[in-house]
């Protein structure tokens, strides 16, 4: 069964959450009706004229690109401009366009993961990690006989849905308790798991609570003016901070007490396995000249080619990569202590300054070539996500080279 465009976008947004995009970016659906059916999808790096022509000629219903068509604000999409004509043609032919840009850069797996994998890097980690999504811990005391009912309600509101990395951070959160899910030292599924690796995860401990209702109270248990002692269970659950209001409302609605006793703690932010760039290790060290050849052989060929800066006999073991323009990340690369840095669009002054500092060897590739390997990941992950929903599509990866340079003399 073919999905609707909205179904495809839902899977893409789970893989490349728009909230992961940089504040200046323009990601998401550019053209297309969410209700239109999608049979064929084309993946490409750039929404250039020739790529759009390829999508239209191939009768593709959706074009997914890495780079935006409209990165900066416009006040006209008249067909008198090149981009205006592209938009008119996309709409006229009911060809949808969707952009996954810096949200795909910061995803895991994302653009730099695909580049690292193409170069054979292992044990990768983010060069510039993003913080984990903000988490709270809810602690509430519940009559023991009502615990299961409260757990069900809190879980339905979004508490206790944890990835493995959340499980690790939760076990060290403030509040004095641990969640009930197994801890993992790797946390590998933290950003790729939709909704978490576990649900209804909680920690419970049985004790006793005591209270004395005063005049005006309507106690469920005990009497006004008398001290009561009740077997109670302390319940702790982790929740996304943006769901705090919903979870607390669910707690108050289901808790048997007139005034339930609860606390909400904000957990410390920890680095996630999402973020820009990757740092990894080669299977075996290589001289810089040989490593640069591996880079050239592993990426699509362009007129730009591969430029190298550094001692060609230097042994390369640890490598940092950034898909796309990366000379703004020299500070992070320097701190990472790597032997080589593979990226695109390196400018003269940052490159010479890096060499003056004795920084890693530099391997500069074409912008388009550094990001093209991501298309294969996006293609595969989207098809897997749609298959899990019972949908099938036909996909194709564009091999049109849209690098800006067409000749090098």
């Amino acid at each position: 069964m073919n999905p609707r465009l909205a179904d495809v976008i839902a899977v893409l947004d789970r893989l490349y959450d728009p909230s992961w995009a940089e504040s200046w970016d323009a990601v998401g659906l550019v053209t297309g009706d969410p209700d239109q059916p999608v049979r064929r999808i084309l993946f490409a790096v750039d929404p250039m004229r020739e790529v759009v022509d390829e999508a239209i000629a191939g009768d593709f219903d959706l074009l997914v690109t890495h780079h935006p068509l409209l990165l900066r604000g416009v006040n006209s999409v008249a067909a008198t401009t090149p981009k205006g004509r592209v938009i008119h043609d996309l709409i006229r032919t009911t060809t949808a366009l969707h952009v996954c840009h810096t949200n795909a850069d910061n995803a895991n797996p994302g653009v730099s993961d695909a580049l690292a994998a193409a170069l054979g890097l292992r044990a990768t980690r983010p060069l510039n990690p993003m913080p984990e999504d903000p988490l709270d811990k809810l602690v509430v005391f519940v009559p023991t006989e009502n615990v299961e009912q409260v757990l069900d309600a809190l879980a339905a509101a979004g508490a206790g849905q944890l990835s493995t990395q959340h499980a690790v951070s939760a076990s060290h959160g403030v509040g004095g308790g641990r969640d009930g899910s197994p801890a993992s030292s790797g946390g590998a599924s933290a950003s790729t798991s939709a909704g978490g690796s576990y649900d209804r995860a909680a920690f419970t401990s049985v004790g006793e609570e005591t209270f004395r209702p005063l005049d005006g109270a309507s106690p469920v248990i005990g009497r006004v003016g008398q001290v009561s002692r009740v077997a109670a269970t302390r319940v702790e659950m982790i929740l996304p901070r943006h769901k705090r209001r919903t979870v607390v409302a669910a707690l108050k609605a289901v808790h048997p007490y007139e005034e339930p006793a609860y606390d909400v703690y904000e957990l410390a932010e920890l680095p996630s396995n999402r973020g820009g760039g990757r740092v990894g290790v080669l299977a075996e060290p290589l001289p810089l000249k040989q490593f640069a050849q591996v880079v050239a052989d592993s990426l699509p060929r362009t007129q730009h080619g591969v430029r190298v800066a550094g001692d060609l006999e230097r042994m390369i073991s640890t490598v940092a990569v950034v898909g796309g323009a990366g000379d703004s990340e020299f500070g992070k690369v320097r701190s990472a202590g790597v032997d080589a840095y593979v990226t695109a669009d390196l400018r003269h002054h940052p490159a010479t300054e890096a060499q003056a500092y004795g920084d890693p060897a530099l391997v500069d590739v074409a912008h388009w070539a550094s990001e093209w390997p991501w298309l294969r990941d996006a293609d595969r992950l989207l098809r897997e996500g749609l298959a899990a929903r019972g949908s099938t599509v036909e996909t194709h990866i564009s091999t049109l080279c849209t690098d800006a340079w067409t000749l090098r003399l």
Side-chain angles (χ1 to χ4, degrees):
M1 180 179 69
N2 294 132
R4 298 177 306 135
L5 177 58
D7 301 322
V8 178
I9 301 306
V11 175
L12 286 171
D13 283 352
R14 283 206 307 274
L15 295 169
Y16 313 111
D17 192 320
S19 69
W20 300 338
E22 302 298 330
S23 58
W24 49 263
D25 203 5
V27 301
L29 191 63
V30 180
T31 64
D33 181 345
D35 286 328
Q36 72 184 70
V38 175
R39 301 166 297 109
R40 308 188 72 218
I41 301 174
L42 178 66
F43 290 87
V45 174
D46 297 292
M48 304 289 287
R49 174 78 260 178
E50 56 264 46
V51 173
V52 171
D53 287 342
E54 180 184 14
I56 293 173
D59 196 25
F60 288 95
D61 305 296
L62 171 62
L63 171 61
V64 177
T65 66
H66 180 51
H67 290 146
L69 175 64
L70 302 171
L71 181 58
R72 295 174 177 82
V74 298
N75 54 24
S76 172
V77 290
T80 53
T81 65
K83 289 188 177 182
R85 171 55 63 188
V86 164
I87 290 175
H88 277 257
D89 289 346
L90 288 169
I91 294 174
R92 175 179 54 80
T93 58
T94 66
T95 307
L97 171 62
H98 185 82
V99 173
C100 302
H101 191 208
T102 54
N103 50 331
D105 288 331
N106 288 325
N108 187 340
V111 172
S112 290
D113 291 288
L115 176 57
L119 304 185
L121 299 185
R122 302 179 177 182
T124 58
R125 57 182 173 83
L127 174 67
N128 188 15
M130 297 175 65
E132 264 296 333
D133 296 332
L135 296 175
D136 288 346
K137 175 181 281 189
L138 173 68
V139 178
V140 60
F141 298 89
V142 184
T144 300
E145 63 187 22
N146 300 107
V147 167
E148 297 304 316
Q149 179 185 6
V150 171
L151 285 174
D152 287 340
L154 295 180
Q161 296 180 354
L162 307 177
S163 69
T164 51
Q165 183 160 335
H166 288 159
V168 174
S169 63
S171 69
H172 297 285
V174 295
R178 298 181 299 169
D179 64 278
S181 58
S184 164
S185 60
S189 66
S191 64
T192 58
S193 174
S197 303
Y198 306 88
D199 70 356
R200 206 178 179 273
F203 176 80
T204 61
S205 58
V206 178
E208 182 181 76
E209 62 178 341
T210 181
F211 52 86
R212 178 166 55 197
L214 302 179
D215 289 343
S218 301
V220 174
I221 298 174
R223 296 180 179 180
V224 172
Q226 295 184 1
V227 174
S228 296
R229 295 183 181 278
V230 178
T233 297
R234 175 186 172 111
V235 175
E236 303 182 26
M237 298 183 84
I238 304 299
L239 60 135
R241 191 163 300 158
H242 70 270
K243 292 188 176 181
R244 179 189 295 177
R245 185 184 299 273
T246 302
V247 170
V248 170
L251 167 65
K252 292 181 175 180
V254 73
H255 199 287
Y257 285 0
E258 181 181 19
E259 290 292 339
Y262 69 93
D263 297 301
V264 177
Y265 299 94
E266 292 189 354
L267 301 183
E269 288 188 349
L270 297 176
S272 72
N273 64 353
R274 297 192 307 272
R278 290 295 181 269
V279 176
V281 181
L282 291 171
E284 59 181 44
L286 296 173
L288 174 59
K289 184 175 182 179
Q290 188 175 344
F291 172 67
Q293 188 62 54
V294 169
V295 175
D297 293 341
S298 302
L299 299 180
R301 294 195 177 277
T302 63
Q303 286 297 323
H304 175 286
V306 175
R307 301 188 299 177
V308 182
D311 179 359
L312 297 181
E313 298 306 315
R314 176 179 180 171
M315 296 303 292
I316 306 300
S317 178
T318 58
V319 180
V321 301
V322 169
D327 64 12
S328 63
E329 299 296 335
F330 272 128
K332 293 287 194 311
V333 172
R334 185 178 295 122
S335 298
V338 298
D339 302 313
Y341 180 32
V342 181
T343 189
D345 298 344
L346 290 180
R347 294 172 295 157
H348 174 78
H349 293 297
T352 54
E353 182 177 358
Q355 290 297 290
Y357 273 95
D359 276 352
L362 304 179
V363 181
D364 180 68
V365 303
H367 193 122
W368 171 83
S370 73
E371 295 174 330
W372 189 88
W374 169 75
L375 303 179
R376 293 176 295 196
D377 275 1
D379 178 6
R380 174 179 56 82
L381 292 170
L382 177 60
R383 284 187 286 105
E384 290 174 356
L386 289 172
R389 289 174 162 230
S391 298
T392 58
V393 291
E394 180 183 344
T395 62
H396 179 73
I397 296 173
S398 176
T399 57
L400 289 175
C401 178
T402 50
D403 188 59
W405 310 108
T406 55
L407 178 64
R408 185 181 184 124
L409 300 176

